[in-house]
Amino acid sequence: MRDLAPLAPLALDPSPLFDQFRQALCGWCIAATLGADNTINNCHTNTRQIPLMDTFQHGFAGGVLRTIYQNKIGRFANSNNTTVKLTHSGGIACGKTKRNFRRNIPKAGQHCDHPQNSQRLYTRPGRYSLRQTPVDAIPDLSDVQVIIKTSYPGQAPQVVEDQVTYPLTTAMLSVPGAVTVRGYSFFGDSYVYIIFNDDTDLYWARSRVLEYLNQVAGDLPASAKPQLGPDATGVGWVYLYALADRTGQHDLGQLRSIQDWFLKYELQTVSGVSEVSTLGGMVKQYQIQIDPEKLRAFGIPLSHIEMAIKRGNQESGASVIEMAEAEYMVLVDGYLSSIEDISSVPLGMNQNGTPILLDDIAEINLGPQMRRGIAELNGEGEVVGGIVVMRFGENAANVISDVKAKLEELKAGLPEGVEIIPVYDRSALINRAVTNLWEKLFEEFVVVAIVFAVFLFHLRSSLVAIVSLPIGILAAFTVMYFQGINANIMSLGGIAIAIGAMIDGATVMIENMHKKMEETPITDANRWEIVAKSAGEVGPALFFSLLIITMSFLP
């Protein structure tokens, strides 16, 4: 490196971006102005300035010495009131001032922040990204898709296919951005999957599907009720719990009612939860068993009974009446709420003028809905299950934590004997994946320190390689955050593998620097020349070796 005479300070643009850039260079300046005796020279008598381009070319080498001597620099700077300024030559000059270090952004000619502030500038985006990046255990490789579920009760699969699935699939073929439309017909249910391009926004796709669904809804049967599926993906199933009563005080029907009318609605209020699905149990229903002989004797068609039940299960308003200068609203209360209410539904009159009630021709009971599946826990009997589905793009770790906290609150409102049993909790796998990364990082720290102590007999140099590991990890999380990639087993495993490659490069760089320092006596004049020469020898080879490793991760 060449020595340059100090020139007048350059008037700098005080824009925030340039100030941050100048602040980042402060740490390099103080490390670069170290003498052979670890003291800072007087700028007016023996100042060694480093041209700005040389700083960029040998930035890694400057960072090495800055890290090694960071503690000594900080103690010296606080006691000697050192300042840093840029010169016309593009170099960095060091001087002294009567004022102490401050933590604001320095301007030209004013004194610089503490060297650790430059590290804060490097790691601040990484630390923010580390806190904000969604964490999950399973990588989400599912397509951008929207599901249309249509319930068509009591109909055979072929009927569902002809009257529901086919009209929906043909209408969805013209949805913008759709690449594939798949239809599935089951007994009483139809499912249509619309798959979009990978770069399509999920909520934009859902709005487009809803537009076309409104257009085709008039062509479907009256009893077919289409609806969009949850705004989730194939890996959104993050938590599963069972509702059981080992005391026998509550049956499966009562447990199902607790799940459907209490727990489900409360859990859906948790941030990040898209849907809470119920599995197992008994769904209560009023069952009307009509006697065909009595129906024939009274001459009443079956459709008339269905219409009578619908008319009897209504509420209606009849405007208002005015009495004594006051208005009274008229309300007809007609909802059916018990077996007695259903039994009293009128069907007509017989030849004698006696009303014919539903109880005269049918037997009415309260029973379970026909089931096509059960939920069983560990071979101990049937239970009622709840499946918590996470919304697309949410942080799985936070959602699971909020769901478990909500369930703890809801336990106080459960009947005596009813308990919530966790069945599947993905947070355990997430925590193990994250813990494994930090454990491997710590193990790498220990191994690096031992290697440097044994082979180079210089434990302090290991700090250079050790510092590069967390900074590299924070840089990786920064890229992941801005690309919308969550932290999962695959990405964390890739980071753990890359730790070895990162430490190899730093180790080779430091070992070559020690070799050069052994060959040439270190003086105040040639220190940075040796640093630049050693870094230049192995720098290109390390760059291309790390580039090859990086390319291997692209697939």
Side-chain angles (χ1 to χ4, degrees):
M1 294 186 178
R2 60 187 184 273
D3 293 336
L4 298 175
L7 299 176
L10 175 65
L12 301 176
D13 180 11
S15 63
L17 181 60
F18 196 86
D19 285 339
Q20 292 178 2
F21 172 74
R22 183 170 56 244
Q23 182 186 17
L25 293 179
C26 289
W28 304 92
C29 162
I30 296 177
T33 54
L34 279 175
D37 56 351
N38 292 345
T39 60
I40 299 179
N41 299 315
N42 191 298
C43 287
H44 300 287
T45 58
N46 189 20
T47 300
R48 298 182 322 285
Q49 300 180 12
I50 303 174
L52 198 56
M53 291 306 297
D54 291 345
T55 303
F56 284 122
Q57 293 172 4
H58 307 295
F60 179 81
V64 168
L65 289 183
R66 182 174 69 84
T67 306
I68 293 177
Y69 299 107
Q70 184 173 357
N71 292 334
K72 291 186 177 181
I73 295 167
R75 291 194 296 269
F76 184 87
N78 285 329
S79 60
N80 290 271
N81 305 321
T82 303
T83 65
V84 175
K85 61 185 178 181
L86 295 176
T87 65
H88 282 296
S89 61
I92 306 175
C94 179
K96 295 184 178 180
T97 183
K98 295 181 179 179
R99 303 179 65 186
N100 292 328
F101 270 58
R102 296 180 299 179
R103 293 192 176 275
N104 61 334
I105 298 176
K107 297 181 180 180
Q110 294 181 353
H111 70 303
C112 175
D113 282 344
H114 193 278
Q116 291 181 352
N117 282 0
S118 60
Q119 268 192 348
R120 295 190 185 98
L121 181 63
Y122 304 149
T123 60
R124 186 177 294 116
R127 287 185 280 119
Y128 174 81
S129 302
L130 184 63
R131 293 191 298 266
Q132 300 298 325
T133 299
V135 181
D136 200 349
I138 305 174
D140 192 354
L141 304 178
S142 57
D143 298 315
V144 178
Q145 67 177 4
V146 180
I147 304 174
I148 302 176
K149 179 184 180 300
T150 306
S151 179
Y152 197 12
Q155 302 300 323
Q158 187 60 46
V159 177
V160 175
E161 172 72 20
D162 296 338
Q163 300 183 12
V164 178
T165 306
Y166 180 76
L168 288 177
T169 53
T170 53
M172 295 302 147
L173 290 174
S174 57
V175 174
V179 295
T180 304
V181 178
R182 303 188 182 118
Y184 300 91
S185 301
F186 302 94
F187 177 77
D189 289 308
S190 168
Y191 292 88
V192 177
Y193 296 80
I194 304 96
I195 300 176
F196 292 81
N197 295 317
D198 291 337
D199 57 348
T200 305
D201 180 73
L202 176 63
Y203 294 99
W204 182 88
R206 290 173 64 87
S207 64
R208 298 287 80 77
V209 170
L210 189 59
E211 290 179 3
Y212 283 79
L213 182 60
N214 292 333
Q215 296 176 9
V216 74
D219 299 333
L220 301 179
S223 58
K225 306 298 182 183
Q227 59 181 356
L228 293 184
D231 52 343
T233 63
V235 297
W237 184 342
V238 296
Y239 194 82
L240 172 63
Y241 63 90
L243 204 61
D245 183 6
R246 293 189 172 97
T247 63
Q249 302 179 27
H250 302 83
D251 56 25
L252 292 176
Q254 293 172 323
L255 293 178
R256 178 67 183 248
S257 298
I258 295 173
Q259 165 63 23
D260 287 341
W261 303 103
F262 176 54
L263 293 179
K264 179 178 180 179
Y265 292 136
E266 291 291 340
L267 290 177
Q268 285 180 339
T269 64
V270 176
S271 176
V273 173
S274 175
E275 182 184 34
V276 179
S277 301
T278 304
L279 181 67
M282 300 284 188
V283 179
K284 292 182 180 180
Q285 66 175 194
Y286 293 105
Q287 299 174 347
I288 302 174
Q289 301 176 1
I290 300 176
D291 188 342
E293 297 297 334
K294 295 181 179 180
L295 193 65
R296 185 183 305 109
F298 286 107
I300 300 176
L302 188 61
S303 58
H304 179 73
I305 298 178
E306 180 181 0
M307 183 62 65
I309 295 174
K310 290 181 178 180
R311 290 178 177 177
N313 188 33
Q314 293 183 4
E315 279 192 0
S316 178
S319 189
V320 296
I321 58 175
E322 182 178 354
M323 297 176 58
E325 299 182 355
E327 286 187 344
Y328 294 89
M329 291 182 291
V330 180
L331 176 64
V332 179
D333 186 4
Y335 283 141
L336 303 176
S337 57
S338 64
I339 296 179
E340 290 74 16
D341 293 341
I342 300 176
S343 301
S344 302
V345 172
L347 301 178
M349 291 186 298
N350 58 14
Q351 297 177 352
N352 300 326
T354 304
I356 303 175
L357 304 180
L358 184 60
D359 188 43
D360 296 333
I361 62 173
E363 182 179 353
I364 303 164
N365 299 307
L366 183 63
Q369 184 180 1
M370 185 183 68
R371 300 190 299 169
R372 307 189 71 235
I374 64 172
E376 186 267 349
L377 180 64
N378 297 332
E380 300 177 356
E382 291 189 46
V383 295
V384 176
I387 303 172
V388 179
V389 181
M390 179 185 67
R391 184 171 289 113
F392 168 77
E394 293 290 337
N395 191 327
N398 293 343
V399 172
I400 296 174
S401 177
D402 294 342
V403 167
K404 291 193 291 187
K406 190 68 174 180
L407 286 176
E408 288 296 327
E409 296 178 6
L410 297 178
K411 285 182 179 180
L414 295 177
E416 183 179 358
V418 178
E419 58 180 331
I420 300 175
I421 305 173
V423 178
Y424 171 71
D425 184 359
R426 192 185 294 176
S427 62
L429 182 58
I430 296 173
N431 294 333
R432 289 198 300 269
V434 175
T435 303
N436 179 71
L437 175 64
W438 300 124
E439 289 178 352
K440 298 304 178 185
L441 184 61
F442 177 76
E443 293 173 2
E444 195 75 23
F445 287 169
V446 176
V447 171
V448 169
I450 294 175
V451 168
F452 277 83
V454 172
F455 292 97
L456 296 180
F457 301 102
H458 198 272
L459 185 60
R460 191 170 57 184
S461 296
S462 64
L463 298 178
V464 180
I466 290 175
V467 167
S468 66
L469 292 182
I471 293 179
I473 293 176
L474 292 178
F477 272 98
T478 302
V479 176
M480 292 167 55
Y481 174 74
F482 286 103
Q483 288 187 346
I485 302 175
N486 64 350
N488 51 67
I489 289 180
M490 297 297 293
S491 58
L492 295 179
I495 293 176
I497 295 173
I499 288 176
M502 294 167 55
I503 205 66
D504 289 344
T507 303
V508 171
M509 181 77 74
I510 298 170
E511 191 276 334
N512 189 63
M513 192 176 303
H514 275 267
K515 181 179 179 181
K516 292 299 180 182
M517 293 170 63
E518 293 174 359
E519 295 176 353
T520 306
I522 300 298
T523 63
D524 187 29
N526 66 356
R527 176 181 295 271
W528 280 100
E529 182 179 354
I530 295 175
V531 170
K533 184 177 180 180
S534 62
E537 286 182 355
V538 296
L542 290 177
F543 172 77
F544 283 104
S545 64
L546 295 177
L547 182 62
I548 293 173
I549 297 176
T550 303
M551 296 295 292
S552 66
F553 280 96
L554 291 181

